[in-house]
Amino acid sequence: MRMTTANGLIGSMALALFSTTASADLGLINMTRGVTESSRQIYDLHMTIFSITVAIGLLVFGAMFYSIFRHRKARGVKPAKFHHSTAVEIVWTVIPLGILVAMAVPATQTLIDLDDTSESEMTVKVTGYQWFWGYEYMDEDVQFLSRLDVDSDRARRLGSGVEPASVDNYLQNVDKRLVLPVDTKIRFQITAADVIHSWWMPDLGWKKDAIPGFVNETWTRIDEPGVYRGRCAELCGRDHGFMPIVVEAVEKDEFQAWLAEQRGETGATADAAETNEDEQVGDALASR
Amino acid sequence: MTATTQDHAHHEAEPTGLKRWLVTTNHKDIGSMYLLFSLAMFLVGGAMALVIRAELFQPGLQVVDPYFFNQMTTMHALVMIFGAVMPAFTGLANWMIPLMVGAPDMALPRMNNWSFWLLPFGFAILLSTLFMPGGGPAGGWTMYPPLMLQTGTAFPFVIFAIHVLGISSIMGSINVIATILNMRAPGMTLMKMPLFVWTWLITAYLMIAVMPVLAGAITMLLTDQYFGTTFFSAAGGGDPVLYQHIFWFFGHPEVYILILPAFGIISTIIPAFTRKPLFGYSSMVYATASIAFLSFIVWAHHMFTVGMPLAGQLFFMYATMLIAVPTGVKVFNWVATMWRGAMTFETPMLFALAFVFLFTIGGFSGLMLAIAPADFQYHDTYFVVAHFHYVLVTGAVFAILAAAYYWLPKWTGHMYSERLGQWHFWLSVIFVNVLFFPQHFLGLAGMPRRIPDYSVQFADWNMISSIGGFGFGFAQLIFVWLLYKCIRGGQKAEARAWEGAEGLEWEVPSPAPHHTFDTPPVVR
């Protein structure tokens, strides 16, 4: 048994090294551009600040390595005696300050945009639970819970014997997706029922903490239909790693049809839906 | 400097054996105990890190239960911060500050003994929580409520242990300040102090300012749990985010507590091995003071996603970006010190150079994290994990290792094995990058921190990171072996063990006699 594990480890180690070089895919090492205007702004900010640091790094490390190769005792150099230069010190204080100001301008603009939830066309309330998400389409009488799908849940148990790679979207699939319309300004109201969670959808460009007793607001406008996957980002206890988020973005008319279908399923009145969610949470908590 | 070799008739006969260490008030003995304790905790915290990396080697759960995994991430951080890095710096302060300022001992020797001996008890309590019903703390080292309030029997023990460690830190800081301000040799004005002394003076003030804030925060947790208060519960009119504000008001100065003495060490070692004075001494002092000041007004950059008002986000973003300026000054000064020097590359210098290179990479990712909108993506991902391990492992820990190599001849009277030192350095510097660099990619690609299992697109980099982790961990055993050999024997060290070393500590013999500077030296 021990031998097989060791062999397995060595084998997979070699495989990993090989497959990493083989599948050198930029998507795996960089931030996603996402599918919203904000997420693209954030990606651009990320790449700009990254490029600035690379440029500064090349200069500083260039000087450092030049010095390491040229100014070494083994080459018989005599050390210089200088120990300060006010002019140089002012220059390398002021220039970085200028770069920072230049960087702060677009960052401020993006931050202001992200903060503006006005003129939203619909509202989704997100509630974090240990360890699943609850979604409520405000004024639409549609609400449901969204949990890790059964296949992942089975495979992720300690010593389950199920190979994660064999599970479809291991740990990033849910039993019921959050369906959202494209080209619609959607306001999110995010809260939690027990401890702090954080609702993170990389393709939307942000995460927002879900805090019990408080409601955080933010918004998005999705450009492209598709299925997007995210996860809880704030440590929330034992199964923090096992509460994924799946958003399915669809065309507006498809979304309306989906809503109607949901209303048919979950009962006619708001009261019924209300009890329904409480019961669902109760069931979910009891079954964990 | 003959002042050190006079007779010590006025000292009482000193106890030997275990009692010597229990009742000692000698700064060198206490410094050694701090350093050895810190090494032990570094290995304990490292073992926990290896449990984490073993579980993350492959997707799926193979090694530990998720709840135990959370205990490991929590304890790894607490042990490394409060057990390894802080005591190592305090140990270096104990050993070196009196020698560097020409004082016979620390100003408050008995308190010094107590502040050390609190640590083993504090950590005995903290580590014992792992064996309590319900396990140890699993809510992260930041202990955010309400999650932290779900801790089992361990809860009050964790809080008590942190109080004990906090008291120890505060007493250590009072001692450092009292020593530096009162016991400098005649002629050593503040602006003539070695930079290690300067950075420690500022660090000590930071600790006195913020350790009580941490104590306040965790005491509020305690009363919320047992005495019916609702500081952090919305149900009673409180706010869980209030805890985060208080915690990070401590937490951000705390991360500078973990790095400022490292700046001092690097500013000592680079001039010694470039044989050239430090570039911009006074701007180094002012930059350190600026960083310390800024550390009090940037705390909420740890909480950009909690839903602060726009004005708050903007303020904390701007203030955080400003930190890049004084930090940049320091890096530029170090490079300017190397410029046209005559460098040699003994182990302390190698660690110092690696510090400058790798700490700066950590600084760059820090600057990226300061950009609040981008932080909405980076926050709570492996990008953050990579960032703070670059500044804490290749930053603080590398500086501590550099300091250990630099002053080992002074402490033990023997030169360490340069061959083993080089092995230790090269293995460490290679594996630490294999360990932490891929974590940048993982974070950007969407892997959150503090998860025991992950979806399969993260598998490759996690496996590489784990290989780096085990390599780095086992490379540290070389250091333990080197240390053992160096204490036991080796080539005799001269008083000035390094050609370019400057400072009063090199005026006394190696090993430094039990009592030094009974008569203060005169500094010109």
Side-chain angles (χ1 to χ4, degrees):
Chain A
M1 179 61 205
R2 208 159 257 274
M3 271 308 276
T4 12
T5 321
N7 284 339
L9 286 185
I10 292 165
S12 43
M13 219 186 285
L15 190 69
L17 289 172
F18 176 74
S19 63
T20 313
T21 34
S23 67
D25 174 4
L26 271 181
L28 282 178
I29 64 167
N30 201 5
M31 186 188 286
T32 172
R33 283 178 64 83
V35 291
T36 70
E37 182 60 33
S38 316
S39 73
R40 281 188 294 272
Q41 281 177 23
I42 286 171
Y43 175 82
D44 290 342
L45 279 175
H46 157 68
M47 289 313 286
T48 311
I49 187 75
F50 174 66
S51 317
I52 290 173
T53 61
V54 169
I56 299 174
L58 287 176
L59 279 173
V60 174
F61 298 146
M64 181 173 151
F65 280 105
Y66 179 83
S67 200
I68 288 175
F69 287 115
R70 294 300 299 272
H71 307 140
R72 47 167 73 209
K73 196 186 173 202
R75 295 170 62 98
V77 294
K78 288 270 166 292
K81 293 267 175 275
F82 68 87
H83 53 79
H84 78 282
S85 156
T86 311
V88 171
E89 287 172 71
I90 289 175
V91 167
W92 70 40
T93 308
V94 172
I95 291 180
L97 208 55
I99 296 173
L100 290 178
V101 172
M103 194 60 222
V105 174
T108 303
Q109 192 52 53
T110 306
L111 213 48
I112 292 172
D113 287 352
L114 281 166
D115 197 60
D116 180 14
T117 55
S118 63
E119 291 171 26
S120 53
E121 296 155 73
M122 61 176 280
T123 301
V124 175
K125 184 182 169 200
V126 178
T127 308
Y129 298 91
Q130 282 175 315
W131 292 275
F132 48 89
W133 295 98
Y135 299 111
E136 181 179 354
Y137 295 74
M138 304 299 270
D139 307 321
E140 301 284 356
D141 299 342
V142 174
Q143 52 190 320
F144 55 87
L145 301 176
S146 176
R147 301 203 277 164
L148 183 67
D149 72 309
V150 177
D151 290 345
S152 293
D153 198 39
R154 207 170 286 144
R156 61 113 174 172
R157 304 282 159 185
L158 187 58
S160 69
V162 183
E163 177 57 38
S166 71
V167 178
D168 178 40
N169 276 300
Y170 177 61
L171 295 190
Q172 42 185 2
N173 218 358
V174 293
D175 55 359
K176 196 162 164 70
R177 294 167 172 180
L178 176 67
V179 178
L180 295 173
V182 294
D183 300 325
T184 307
K185 184 162 182 178
I186 305 162
R187 179 172 61 164
F188 288 92
Q189 294 189 322
I190 301 178
T191 187
D194 34 47
V195 300
I196 301 174
H197 303 266
S198 188
W199 199 82
W200 181 28
M201 180 52 68
D203 281 302
L204 303 189
W206 47 259
K207 62 180 68 69
K208 199 81 171 174
D209 289 0
I211 296 164
F214 292 82
V215 176
N216 272 331
E217 283 201 338
T218 187
W219 67 277
T220 195
R221 183 198 298 271
I222 303 171
D223 292 342
E224 298 163 32
V227 177
Y228 308 113
R229 296 175 195 278
R231 38 197 73 78
C232 179
E234 176 69 45
L235 178 62
C236 57
R238 186 176 185 277
D239 284 353
H240 160 56
F242 308 100
M243 43 186 295
I245 302 161
V246 180
V247 165
E248 183 177 353
V250 297
E251 298 296 346
K252 284 183 185 179
D253 49 347
E254 256 181 86
F255 174 70
Q256 289 304 331
W258 178 84
L259 268 187
E261 190 189 320
Q262 297 303 307
R263 273 192 289 263
E265 263 182 30
T266 51
T269 67
D271 279 354
E274 200 76 18
T275 21
N276 220 354
E277 182 178 345
D278 288 347
E279 277 172 15
Q280 285 184 51
V281 173
D283 291 349
L285 290 172
S287 73
R288 72 162 201 252
Chain B
M1 205 62 49
T2 50
T4 53
T5 47
Q6 55 174 261
D7 97 60
H8 299 300
H10 60 287
H11 291 291
E12 291 168 36
E14 296 185 5
T16 51
L18 189 62
K19 199 175 173 202
R20 166 182 167 189
W21 300 100
L22 267 175
V23 302
T24 183
T25 54
N26 181 289
H27 73 102
K28 301 182 183 81
D29 284 355
I30 295 173
S32 299
M33 289 196 294
Y34 262 111
L35 288 167
L36 290 172
F37 177 79
S38 130
L39 179 63
M41 285 298 121
F42 180 61
L43 297 176
V44 170
M48 292 173 178
L50 292 187
V51 172
I52 294 170
R53 283 317 322 171
E55 180 53 63
L56 292 173
F57 186 74
Q58 284 179 305
L61 291 175
Q62 293 87 17
V63 186
V64 292
D65 174 86
Y67 192 72
F68 187 74
F69 182 92
N70 291 346
Q71 294 175 40
M72 287 290 104
T73 55
T74 306
M75 289 294 248
H76 164 71
L78 289 171
V79 168
M80 286 303 199
I81 292 169
F82 294 100
V85 176
M86 290 171 74
F89 283 138
T90 314
L92 291 170
N94 261 291
W95 248 105
M96 300 321 297
I97 287 176
L99 286 179
M100 286 177 145
V101 302
D105 204 312
M106 297 292 279
L108 306 157
R110 287 193 178 85
M111 192 166 85
N112 204 11
N113 173 292
W114 192 29
S115 58
F116 170 75
W117 278 109
L118 281 177
L119 286 180
F121 293 97
F123 274 94
I125 296 168
L126 186 64
L127 293 172
S128 71
T129 61
L130 286 172
F131 305 100
M132 289 179 183
W141 82 279
T142 51
M143 299 175 281
Y144 285 1
L147 181 62
M148 185 61 187
L149 301 178
Q150 295 181 350
T151 310
T153 320
F155 182 80
F157 293 93
V158 173
I159 289 185
F160 181 60
I162 292 173
H163 274 306
V164 169
L165 307 181
I167 292 169
S168 162
S169 297
I170 291 171
M171 291 198 301
S173 304
I174 292 173
N175 220 338
V176 165
I177 292 174
T179 307
I180 295 174
L181 294 186
N182 296 310
M183 298 180 67
R184 297 194 310 281
M188 183 175 279
T189 59
L190 284 177
M191 290 307 275
K192 278 187 186 167
M193 291 194 311
L195 258 172
F196 179 70
V197 180
W198 252 118
T199 52
W200 239 113
L201 179 65
I202 293 170
T203 303
Y205 275 109
L206 284 182
M207 273 207 232
I208 290 181
V210 301
M211 294 310 291
V213 178
L214 173 67
I218 59 175
T219 304
M220 287 153 93
L221 281 181
L222 194 75
T223 62
D224 268 15
Q225 184 81 312
Y226 295 118
F227 304 114
T229 60
T230 53
F231 293 111
F232 308 131
S233 161
D239 184 349
V241 176
L242 172 66
Y243 173 87
Q244 299 184 22
H245 281 290
I246 301 172
F247 180 86
W248 287 113
F249 187 82
F250 146 79
H252 203 76
E254 169 69 19
V255 304
Y256 292 129
I257 288 167
L258 300 173
I259 201 66
L260 293 185
F263 290 165
I265 291 165
I266 301 306
S267 303
T268 309
I269 290 176
I270 289 182
F273 293 94
T274 49
R275 294 161 181 80
K276 186 165 157 281
L278 181 71
F279 187 89
Y281 171 90
S282 41
S283 69
M284 284 297 210
V285 173
Y286 299 137
T288 311
S290 314
I291 294 172
F293 168 74
L294 288 171
S295 77
F296 285 106
I297 56 164
V298 297
W299 76 89
H301 68 216
H302 297 271
M303 319 157 39
F304 276 139
T305 63
V306 298
M308 266 183 292
L310 178 63
Q313 296 182 37
L314 287 172
F315 172 80
F316 286 108
M317 175 171 77
Y318 299 150
T320 305
M321 290 168 79
L322 270 185
I323 296 176
V325 176
T327 314
V329 166
K330 285 188 161 288
V331 174
F332 300 145
N333 280 346
W334 288 322
V335 175
T337 306
M338 294 174 213
W339 195 258
R340 294 181 51 212
M343 276 188 264
T344 52
F345 303 93
E346 290 88 344
T347 313
M349 181 61 162
L350 288 175
F351 272 107
L353 291 174
F355 172 97
V356 175
F357 188 81
L358 299 171
F359 172 80
T360 304
I361 289 180
F364 285 146
S365 56
L367 184 56
M368 296 171 74
L369 285 158
I371 309 295
D375 185 69
F376 293 160
Q377 289 279 33
Y378 306 140
H379 182 73
D380 265 333
T381 69
Y382 260 83
F383 189 79
V384 177
V385 176
H387 159 71
F388 67 70
H389 281 98
Y390 265 86
V391 291
L392 283 178
V393 179
T394 57
V397 172
F398 270 29
I400 291 164
L401 289 170
Y405 281 109
Y406 183 62
W407 284 308
L408 260 180
K410 182 57 62 188
W411 300 336
T412 64
H414 306 127
M415 296 306 284
Y416 60 85
S417 158
E418 186 63 36
R419 197 173 59 89
L420 284 179
Q422 299 268 337
W423 270 103
H424 176 218
F425 170 75
W426 286 107
L427 288 177
S428 294
V429 82
I430 291 167
F431 279 120
V432 84
N433 283 292
V434 175
L435 166 57
F436 293 122
F437 207 82
Q439 296 185 358
H440 291 111
F441 306 148
L442 286 170
L444 293 175
M447 179 168 160
R449 59 192 287 206
R450 295 168 164 171
I451 56 172
D453 193 5
Y454 46 82
S455 39
V456 292
Q457 74 268 35
F458 305 128
D460 296 348
W461 292 119
N462 267 301
M463 187 174 284
I464 290 170
S465 180
S466 288
I467 293 168
F470 279 86
F472 181 72
F474 288 115
Q476 304 319 303
L477 298 179
I478 300 174
F479 178 69
V480 175
W481 171 237
L482 172 146
L483 197 64
Y484 174 77
K485 282 182 52 173
C486 183
I487 292 170
R488 292 292 297 272
Q491 187 200 329
K492 190 91 189 67
E494 291 168 31
R496 188 179 302 275
W498 308 104
E499 185 192 0
E502 300 277 351
L504 289 176
E505 76 266 35
W506 305 107
E507 311 282 342
V508 302
S510 300
H514 205 50
H515 295 284
T516 40
F517 295 130
D518 282 0
T519 311
V522 175
V523 178
R524 277 164 286 112

